[in-house]
Amino acid sequence: LIFLLSETVHSQGKITVNDVSKLFNKGDFSAVVDLATKAIKEGADIPEFYYYLGMSYSKLKKNSEAIQFLKLFLDKADYSRNIVLFRSGFQEIVSIYKADKDYSSIVEFGNSFLEKLKAGKDVQQIEGFCKNILVGVYREVGNQKMSNNDYSGALQLYKKILEYKPDDVESMQKIALCYKSEGKKEEAAEYYLMSAIGWKSWSSKVDNLLALVDLIWDEEKFEDYAKKSEQDPVSYNVILAVNDIKKHNYNN
């Protein structure tokens, strides 16, 4: 009986995640920091404490502390049990970096986090979510670099998108435009063709095909490019038709 009573008293004095989450939901972020910090100092190694610490520091505009504890949460948490918090924590770190325009840190953090995920099992859901977040950031920064005529920097980011989303035709088209702006006609033509094949709408295909034709008009490579596009009837026939136009075979 004495043993049971002592255990009850001890458990009543323990800080729980529920205690912390209630304070967080009330918006009392300073109290969350105090209580969660105390729990961790007392030996509680529960990942959620680090999550609420990081999120509270973020609300208090203490970004370095927020990133520190959210990264600890991501390292310690079981994503299969904490999927919602996992997503929230990852997105918060990206948002903090993004607000500071620290895009290089987003790239570094995102790549290192995805690398760690490779060691886990059944990570497709959280991995897909993280990649989508990063794709949005890469696209935004790539567009900014392109607007500033930094075509080399934009190329790297658009190609990074294709690593995560190989069928992203918008990025293919942007890569083609970057190469064209750098005077690299052959590389630009390849990506215009890839983009044309990838687009589903007829008008989008033709826009890219006309850009392709403009690049290869003076070369005798129409049949080569047509052969590369055999699986896509629109691209295949447009390229062959342009070849006939150049040769004045108008009936063909």
Side-chain angles (χ1 to χ4, degrees), residues 12-240:
Q12 286 175 348
K14 265 189 176 180
I15 301 166
T16 67
V17 172
N18 191 43
D19 297 330
V20 173
S21 67
K22 282 181 179 178
L23 288 172
F24 184 82
N25 292 332
K26 288 179 180 177
D28 195 349
F29 305 118
S30 295
V32 171
V33 169
D34 292 340
L35 199 61
T37 301
K38 183 180 178 183
I40 292 169
K41 285 181 177 178
E42 289 178 354
D45 195 27
I46 301 172
E48 285 85 345
F49 283 128
Y50 296 95
Y51 169 80
Y52 285 111
L53 255 179
M55 293 298 286
S56 295
Y57 274 126
S58 180
K59 297 291 185 183
L60 295 168
K61 306 300 181 185
K62 295 184 177 181
N63 291 342
S64 59
E65 292 90 342
I67 290 171
Q68 175 191 347
F69 285 106
L70 286 172
K71 283 184 176 180
L72 281 171
F73 165 71
L74 293 176
D75 285 339
K76 294 173 177 290
D78 179 355
Y79 60 86
S80 63
R81 294 175 52 197
N82 303 88
I83 187 71
V84 175
L85 299 188
F86 229 87
R87 289 182 174 188
S88 175
F90 183 91
Q91 197 160 12
E92 190 68 20
I93 291 174
V94 171
S95 296
I96 292 170
Y97 283 138
K98 193 175 175 183
D100 292 336
K101 300 188 185 301
D102 187 357
Y103 298 109
S104 60
S105 291
I106 295 176
V107 173
E108 183 182 347
F109 160 65
N111 288 333
S112 64
F113 180 75
L114 289 171
E115 193 63 32
K116 287 178 184 176
L117 280 181
K118 289 180 181 178
K121 295 180 180 179
D122 301 321
V123 298
Q124 292 83 357
Q125 186 181 8
I126 188 66
E127 186 179 40
F129 170 80
C130 295
K131 284 181 177 180
N132 285 335
I133 295 290
L134 290 173
V135 161
V137 173
Y138 292 148
R139 196 185 308 282
E140 181 180 337
V141 184
N143 291 343
Q144 289 176 6
K145 287 184 178 294
M146 200 168 176
S147 297
N148 295 327
N149 299 327
D150 180 5
Y151 301 114
S152 178
L155 266 171
Q156 293 178 16
L157 292 164
Y158 292 135
K159 285 188 175 182
K160 195 69 183 177
I161 292 174
L162 292 184
E163 288 181 27
Y164 296 155
K165 294 181 69 177
D167 58 348
D168 192 273
V169 288
E170 183 182 336
S171 294
M172 295 175 195
Q173 190 171 330
K174 292 287 181 66
I175 290 171
L177 188 54
C178 286
Y179 275 131
K180 182 181 178 181
S181 300
E182 290 184 332
K184 298 177 180 178
K185 290 186 176 182
E186 190 171 338
E187 291 89 342
E190 290 291 335
Y191 276 94
Y192 273 128
L193 182 63
M194 289 167 59
S195 182
I197 293 170
W199 282 109
K200 292 183 179 179
S201 72
W202 191 88
S203 59
S204 296
K205 286 179 181 292
V206 171
D207 285 343
N208 284 274
L209 290 169
L210 290 176
L212 165 65
V213 166
D214 183 52
L215 290 168
I216 65 173
W217 180 259
D218 295 328
E219 302 175 20
E220 299 298 327
K221 291 186 176 181
F222 287 100
E223 292 182 3
D224 292 341
Y225 281 95
K227 189 173 182 180
K228 292 177 183 179
S229 64
E230 284 178 333
Q231 76 273 29
D232 181 46
V234 173
S235 299
Y236 178 74
N237 284 290
V238 166
I239 293 170
L240 288 181

